[in-house]
Amino acid sequence: EEPNPKLFKDATYQNIFEDLNSSEINEVLDYLYSQSELKLVKPDKANLTTNYIIGLELHVPNKSQALKFLDGNGREIPPAREAKAYLFLPQNDPPVVEEYIVAPIPRPTRYYHNPRRIKDIPYRVRQFSNTEMVVAVNLLRKEVATKVENMLKRSYGASFICKKNCLTFTASAVSSAFSKERKLWITSLYQLEFATLHPVGFQILINMDGINASNWKIEKLWYANKMFSSVEELVRKYENNEIPKALIRPPKASPGETSVPGSLNIRGKRFPDVPTSGPKQYEPQGHRYRVRNQHVDYLQWEFNFRMSYASGIQLYDIKFQNERIMYELSMQEIIVIYAGATPHGLYAQLSDSAFGIGNRAHGMMPGVDCPEHATFVDSVIYNEDNLTPKTYPNAICVFEHNTALPLRRHRSGSSRSGFFNSGLVDYVLILRTMFVMFNYDYIIDFVFHQNGAIDVKVHSTGFILSSLYYHEEGAYGFRVSESSIAPVHHHLFSFKADMDILGTKNRYMTLDTEVENRTRKWYENGEYHTQLTFKRNLKSTEQKAAYKYNFNTPKYHLIINNDKLNKYSEPRGYRILGKGFSKQILPENHGFERTITWSRYQMCVTKRKDSEDTSSSMYSMFDSGDPVVDFVSYINDNENIVDEDLVAWLSLGMHHIPHTEDVPNTATTGNEMSISFLPFNYFTEDPSMGSRDAVRVDSKIKSKGQKADVTIERYGTPHKFSCLAKQYDFQKIVNNASVLFQQP
Amino acid sequence: EEPNPKLFKDATYQNIFEDLNSSEINEVLDYLYSQSELKLVKPDKANLTTNYIIGLELHVPNKSQALKFLDGNGREIPPAREAKAYLFLPQNDPPVVEEYIVAPIPRPTRYYHNPRRIKDIPYRVRQFSNTEMVVAVNLLRKEVATKVENMLKRSYGASFICKKNCLTFTASAVSSAFSKERKLWITSLYQLEFATLHPVGFQILINMDGINASNWKIEKLWYANKMFSSVEELVRKYENNEIPKALIRPPKASPGETSVPGSLNIRGKRFPDVPTSGPKQYEPQGHRYRVRNQHVDYLQWEFNFRMSYASGIQLYDIKFQNERIMYELSMQEIIVIYAGATPHGLYAQLSDSAFGIGNRAHGMMPGVDCPEHATFVDSVIYNEDNLTPKTYPNAICVFEHNTALPLRRHRSGSSRSGFFNSGLVDYVLILRTMFVMFNYDYIIDFVFHQNGAIDVKVHSTGFILSSLYYHEEGAYGFRVSESSIAPVHHHLFSFKADMDILGTKNRYMTLDTEVENRTRKWYENGEYHTQLTFKRNLKSTEQKAAYKYNFNTPKYHLIINNDKLNKYSEPRGYRILGKGFSKQILPENHGFERTITWSRYQMCVTKRKDSEDTSSSMYSMFDSGDPVVDFVSYINDNENIVDEDLVAWLSLGMHHIPHTEDVPNTATTGNEMSISFLPFNYFTEDPSMGSRDAVRVDSKIKSKGQKADVTIERYGTPHKFSCLAKQYDFQKIVNNASVLFQQP
Ligand SMILES: [Ca+2]
Ligand SMILES: [Ca+2]
Ligand SMILES: [Ca+2]
Ligand SMILES: [Ca+2]
Ligand SMILES: [Cu+2]
Ligand SMILES: [Cu+2]
């Protein structure tokens, strides 16, 4: 099971980016709870007015300290290990959210304000929490559910107070794009698989402003396509037949089927006719990589990974052939902007970090979500759901994959150029995680190729959101079921790439493809000739480097080191290639757009600062009036970016107009978005030329008509294996479902 | 070895698109040779002035006849089987190229002018042929090689008259973009692996106009960055020291290496440290598809494929769940437009069909080019290289692939929405071919997903072209070796997609994403609100349907059937999604651009005509003065395209600025271009819901703290296998290299 240890480095690697383990987290918790001035209570005792810790994660060291250690002589002391705690402090005046750094680990002795957080964080813009959901649900139960029980049952054949035929709900934040207060639009759904496909059109606006729960109130209600100011008004008008009445019933299975449309059970025309396994992958000689302490070694690659509670997956110190290519490559934000004719759709402009992106990765299924032969890695997360840190199994997986595509190949079959065929399969190492945001599942892959290239890939799947079908929603979407319409929406993803090309002193240059229109004295009759050429375009400042994609001006984007020239005097560098850029068409500075200013640009290159560590924050759901992280300010000071430590901020996206085939789940086909980092004049030749995975066939003939001498060169790599490597033992899941699910 | 026959349909399928087999080709050849008025000679006797057959292939039936058979009651007589012969007829006055249809097969009795070919084809614009290369090489040998022998040896340490230290050459056509005559620029290269990386800068212009070889002449020569009008002038000036002299030597292996830079041997830092096999794929229960008579069945899919001698791979009658989605999906053209400061690069605007694209597919290597478990299919090609048809092994491969990515998945892990994980791996069937155009290798994949989606994917690899390094070439490229610079170039690919959505009467509609700026009476203080919406935009005529990609106006492109509505009254359709569009920036109607007018548009939708069967032709290398296939004329008549039989013409492309890592071969990573065809309101729900490949895990808990009941549902599909399916026996290649190479 353990791979050939000769393939790997010594196990004593110290990963300064490794996430806090359970005992470290417990130490930090104990320390914070013992600081009486913080007045912290434990989550099980917390409410809207109590100070408490909502989450906690590693505080990644400042880069200068990290580099000192990483690039030191091996005798450097690693930077102090620190934690970052997210605290709700409603007891403060004014109430705030605080991010405290707790240090050192182990045995913390001090805490201090996160120096990377420049602005104060008003309590109103805080991320979602259990404490407020408890209040909101109680309010709904008390002020709505019982009062409308009769109306719901008659209108929908279901209600919130139920054993079967249940309604459930989901919420969209009314972000500060729309309101200076903290509000939530709740929409009601049949509690079926899956609820977001079965809205009934009953929506409720809760005003959750302030820390006094008794001031919270039901502000509006939407029923049968009309707005009401109070539950009483709605119920009175309903009972007095002053309004049209909804009449909807829960969907049923189609004749001959056992499952409800929209559920994830087999349905429709079955195939294959006879159940038969599709192809599988295996590792004939075991793993060719090693995962230890959140550090991965794979052939010429190595890197560290971690899961940020707030912003999701992060890679650090990515090296190829022992040279750092990237200091950091990390997810920053996941956004969906919906639309609709009724409040829930119209207000649904969602910033997923408000839920803690790292919170949402766990339980990937072997053989489906990742191959059976993958290495599954747990994450350890502390959040308000528990008193102690929680281990989430299968949060991340790492596997080597045979893409069945050559990375390179050439076949030559002529006397003039020889008879040979040389190729190398594009074997890749993939680090994968999936974030499930209630209904949607986002698949994030980091892909490492043998030629020094890295891809980041994003796919969306899972369930779409939908609105109750009626005429006016037709402007926003297509019907996807008898009773629902799925609105157009915009997915947006923010990534950070802190490339370090042979050091931190880098430049951003584009190669702009142009048309040259000129004559040459030897050219045909002195006519002019048009042909391709390209210009080097050095971007001197941050504003010049704020890039809005333009199809009509093709260009290459390079991060180069002007002091490190290749053999031919060209600066060594990497190319950044985005596939899956998407135009943000909503107007600038209007509403929610103000807090996602990164989405205006497909790529920005800024001068790196520890204090500009993210493009977004957990507060972006509610802070567009005055964004806590104001991304556009990173470029507004228009700093010099020549020979500086540069960071590229990349925005991917996709307009999604759902259709019937998005039910039950959106297919990943057609929705891949990616960013590739490709060596560009960095190596003297393709570094995959050293790969023993290559195969070369030569065929030589001595004289015409004779049988050729054929050799197949595999550079010592075995290729014939008689029996399978291990397969995943699925009984493990049957015995212990906690690998996939955390249950009460 | 043979898969479970229950998975597949009866073998009596009659494929009316099946390529001519050897005996059919021989019958056609015999018939044509017996038509004395054609005055045909056999290729081994052919020369510039003799009439002969340069190639021959199936003449695909007219669509109306084909559909009558395909959609008939099973008792229809198939359309007459016909051949299309490409004939050089220099004996005609004026000399022409003819395309004759020979019918019927078997036992031909008549031939007639290809009715789909409206324009005459002047002999001057003919595709490349052996007969002219023989004359050109003789001219070079007689008029150049011997006379410059001394100069070449002293300048380059190599010559054309050689046993070792050889020069070889490659040619760029001087298309009618540049000249009304037929000319070729020849460039000289070291005969090394691989020649295109080792130019020496000695270039020769041959005027090959007319059919009288004795009129052919050396028109210009380029040596040491200067132009000369004759060999005599060059030699005289060289010997008299009137010009600077080149001094270049063949590259040598670096110290410690055994192979020359640029060759495809292992080199540089070796990895893995210990040779170890990477992951492989296998089919535990054998193939789940069947390939017979160029007909493929795979789960719910079926289609036919063929290899056109002229234009490459074609798919016909693609059906999913017994409904035709596409009548034809086919490659049309492969273009590369180079640039440079010296004639060879400047004139290199190459139309690969001039070589016969189908000619260039063979010898894919099991385990590298396609997986070991793939089904390899031969092609049978007749061209002037042989007197009889030739079987090319491994021209096409078909395989099922586990992409290691879910096609769809959702994980639910809350009491409210349940504990389940349901997913389906994106198993795909891939039909692959590779076209090797001397130096470049193009990989073409057709990918079939279980949800009714089809992708066409193009990757480029192989060797780049390069120019001898000197200062002025720096405007066009980067140095990739001591002596060479690789110029910027533009790859362009044309594809035809004759979609038939539930019949041939279709419409092209876009969904244009827009911003809605409006107030709603119930909205926050009556302020206006901006949100997404989309407009249906029916394209009524061909010119309105000629699409130039615009990033700032996101849209979906749909082909729909307005008479076939789904359950919710929306027209059923498919979406066309292009990833890998590329702006053609050269000016319209100038030079070569005139014959690749398809490249102006990323997509055109035209009314289908048998006579408009291709976007390009084998004559496009030389015909830009008056294109034989004038694509833009298809849209210039601006026909109605509402409720007509529509064809979508799709252009993919990529600007390639080569860099050191393109040596020896361009990596496929980062250069994928694709077109996806995605069901859009076509099915009532995702048709992959019927797949028994799906896996569903449910976890139910009876009471808190108890162990959950876990079930893993696989719908009867086996999943545990103890031993490998067969692997490819590579000894087959060692015993018989003709699988990979055709040798003299
Ligand atoms: Ca700045
Ligand atoms: Ca940097
Ligand atoms: Ca037309
Ligand atoms: Ca059609
Ligand atoms: Cu979506
Ligand atoms: Cu290229």
Side-chain angles (χ1 to χ4, degrees), chain A residues 141-205:
Chain A
R141 189 176 297 148
K142 204 175 112 219
E143 296 296 325
V144 185
T146 49
K147 296 179 184 173
V148 297
E149 168 83 354
N150 178 45
M151 180 190 89
L152 296 181
K153 278 192 171 155
R154 284 195 282 161
S155 300
Y156 309 129
S159 79
F160 290 105
I161 303 159
C162 58
K163 282 232 158 60
K164 54 176 194 166
N165 295 330
C166 288
L167 292 179
T168 182
F169 61 86
T170 183
S172 352
V174 178
S175 76
S176 50
F178 304 105
S179 166
K180 302 281 175 294
E181 297 167 305
R182 187 173 176 96
K183 297 182 179 182
L184 219 55
W185 268 103
I186 301 283
T187 192
S188 314
L189 317 157
Y190 286 120
Q191 188 169 330
L192 288 171
E193 185 180 323
F194 192 79
T196 57
L197 295 175
H198 304 294
V200 298
F202 179 53
Q203 304 175 18
I204 303 147
L205 178 63

Side-chain angles (χ1 to χ4, degrees), chain A residues 15 20 60 89 168 178 226 310 425 457 482 533 580 585 691:
Chain A
N15 179 3
L20 301 178
V60 175
L89 301 177
T168 182
F178 304 105
K226 290 225 162 359
V425 167
K457 291 189 180 178
E482 280 302 332
T533 179
I585 60 175
S691 179

Side-chain angles (χ1 to χ4, degrees), chain A residues 169 178 191 193 264-265 267 269-273 276-277 279-282 285 288 300 340 362-363 369 402 404 406-407 409-411 416 419 421 432 438 441 449 472 475-476 478 481-482 515-516 520 523-524 528-533 536 552 556 567-568 577 579 583 585 590 655 657 660-661 663 668-670 672 681-683 685-686 689-690 692 696 699 707 710 719 721-724 727 735 737 740 742-743, chain B residues 169 178 191 193 264-265 267 269-273 276-277 279-282 285 288 300 339-340 362-363 369 402 404 406-407 409-411 416 419 421 432 438 441 449 472 475-476 478 481-482 515-516 520 523-524 528-531 533 536 552 556 567-568 577 579 583 585 590 655 657 660-661 663 667-670 672 681-683 685-686 689-690 692 696 699 707 710 719 721-724 727 735 737 740 742-743:
Chain A
F169 61 86
F178 304 105
Q191 188 169 330
E193 185 180 323
L264 282 171
N265 297 294
R267 206 164 41 250
K269 189 172 168 8
R270 310 298 201 264
F271 61 91
D273 294 343
T276 311
S277 173
K280 293 186 175 207
Q281 209 153 121
Y282 70 106
Q285 299 185 277
R288 303 201 297 174
Q300 310 208 63
H362 35 96
D369 294 330
N402 176 330
L407 175 64
R409 71 90 74 173
H410 184 67
R411 178 186 176 282
R416 192 150 56 93
F419 295 88
N421 187 320
R432 173 174 293 168
F438 186 48
D441 300 54
H449 300 264
E472 209 185 343
Y476 307 99
F478 290 99
S481 77
E482 280 302 332
V515 175
E516 176 192 70
R520 289 184 190 277
Y523 181 70
E524 208 61 42
Y528 76 94
H529 174 59
T530 54
Q531 67 174 352
L532 293 176
T533 179
R536 290 165 174 81
N552 296 320
Y556 276 32
K567 196 173 169 185
Y568 314 117
L577 171 64
K579 292 191 174 178
K583 177 73 178 180
I585 60 175
H590 191 76
H655 284 98
I657 304 177
T660 45
E661 294 83 0
V663 175
T668 54
T669 298
E672 179 176 299
N681 289 326
Y682 187 96
F683 302 104
E685 66 175 346
D686 173 3
M689 287 315 294
R692 295 186 160 112
R696 184 182 170 111
S699 174
K707 187 171 165 309
V710 181
H719 72 284
F721 305 96
S722 60
C723 223
L724 272 183
Q727 290 172 280
N735 294 345
L740 289 182
Q742 303 291 326
Q743 275 159 321
Chain B
F169 61 88
F178 304 104
Q191 188 169 329
E193 183 180 323
L264 283 171
N265 297 293
R267 205 163 42 249
K269 191 174 166 7
R270 310 300 201 263
F271 61 91
D273 294 341
T276 312
S277 172
K280 293 188 176 207
Q281 209 152 121
Y282 70 106
Q285 300 185 275
R288 303 202 297 174
Q300 310 208 64
H362 37 95
D369 294 330
N402 177 329
L407 175 63
R409 72 89 72 172
H410 183 67
R411 178 186 176 283
R416 193 149 57 90
F419 295 89
N421 188 319
R432 174 174 292 168
F438 186 50
D441 301 54
H449 300 265
E472 208 184 345
Y476 308 99
F478 290 100
S481 78
E482 280 301 332
V515 175
E516 177 192 69
R520 289 182 191 277
Y523 181 71
E524 208 62 41
Y528 75 93
H529 174 59
T530 53
Q531 67 174 351
T533 181
R536 290 165 174 80
N552 295 320
Y556 275 33
K567 197 173 168 185
Y568 313 117
L577 171 63
K579 292 191 175 180
K583 177 73 179 179
I585 59 176
H590 191 76
H655 284 98
I657 303 176
T660 45
E661 293 83 0
V663 174
T668 54
T669 298
E672 179 177 299
N681 289 325
Y682 187 96
F683 302 104
E685 66 174 346
D686 173 4
M689 286 314 294
R692 295 186 160 110
R696 183 181 170 113
S699 175
K707 188 174 165 311
V710 181
H719 72 284
F721 305 97
S722 60
C723 223
L724 270 184
Q727 289 173 281
N735 294 343
L740 290 182
Q742 304 291 326
Q743 275 160 320

Side-chain angles (χ1 to χ4, degrees), chain A residues 63 498-500 645-646:
Chain A
K63 185 170 176 181
D498 180 354
M499 304 204 77
D500 281 0
D645 189 354
L646 304 183

Side-chain angles (χ1 to χ4, degrees), chain A residues 403-557:
Chain A
T403 62
L405 179 81
L407 175 64
R408 55 177 169 83
R409 71 90 74 173
H410 184 67
R411 178 186 176 282
S412 177
S414 77
S415 316
R416 192 150 56 93
S417 53
F419 295 88
F420 65 90
N421 187 320
S422 173
L424 171 64
V425 167
D426 191 15
Y427 295 102
V428 293
L429 185 90
I430 299 180
L431 181 139
R432 173 174 293 168
T433 187
M434 299 188 188
F435 299 108
V436 183
M437 299 300 172
F438 186 48
N439 54 307
Y440 250 116
D441 300 54
Y442 297 104
I443 305 171
I444 315 294
D445 285 352
F446 297 91
V447 185
F448 298 86
H449 300 264
Q450 293 195 4
N451 69 333
I454 305 169
D455 309 316
V456 182
K457 291 189 180 178
V458 180
H459 289 90
S460 310
T461 180
F463 289 98
I464 50 176
L465 282 189
S466 67
S467 308
L468 183 70
Y469 163 62
Y470 84 102
H471 176 73
E472 209 185 343
E473 293 286 9
Y476 307 99
F478 290 99
R479 287 179 68 183
V480 295
S481 77
E482 280 302 332
S483 63
S484 70
I485 230 169
V488 54
H489 54 277
H490 198 183
H491 292 277
L492 286 159
F493 305 87
S494 176
F495 286 91
K496 175 185 183 182
D498 180 354
M499 304 204 77
D500 281 0
I501 302 299
L502 302 161
T504 56
K505 211 177 126 192
N506 292 160
R507 297 179 175 199
Y508 169 36
M509 179 170 82
T510 59
L511 305 177
D512 300 350
T513 308
E514 292 180 4
V515 175
E516 176 192 70
N517 189 333
R518 55 175 289 183
T519 58
R520 289 184 190 277
K521 58 179 188 297
W522 47 263
Y523 181 70
E524 208 61 42
N525 311 321
E527 277 176 42
Y528 76 94
H529 174 59
T530 54
Q531 67 174 352
L532 293 176
T533 179
F534 64 89
K535 295 278 180 308
R536 290 165 174 81
N537 185 344
L538 178 69
K539 304 291 181 182
S540 55
T541 65
E542 288 169 329
Q543 286 179 19
K544 287 183 181 150
Y547 174 62
K548 295 191 175 185
Y549 180 78
N550 183 344
F551 180 72
N552 296 320
T553 55
K555 45 175 62 64
Y556 276 32
H557 302 267

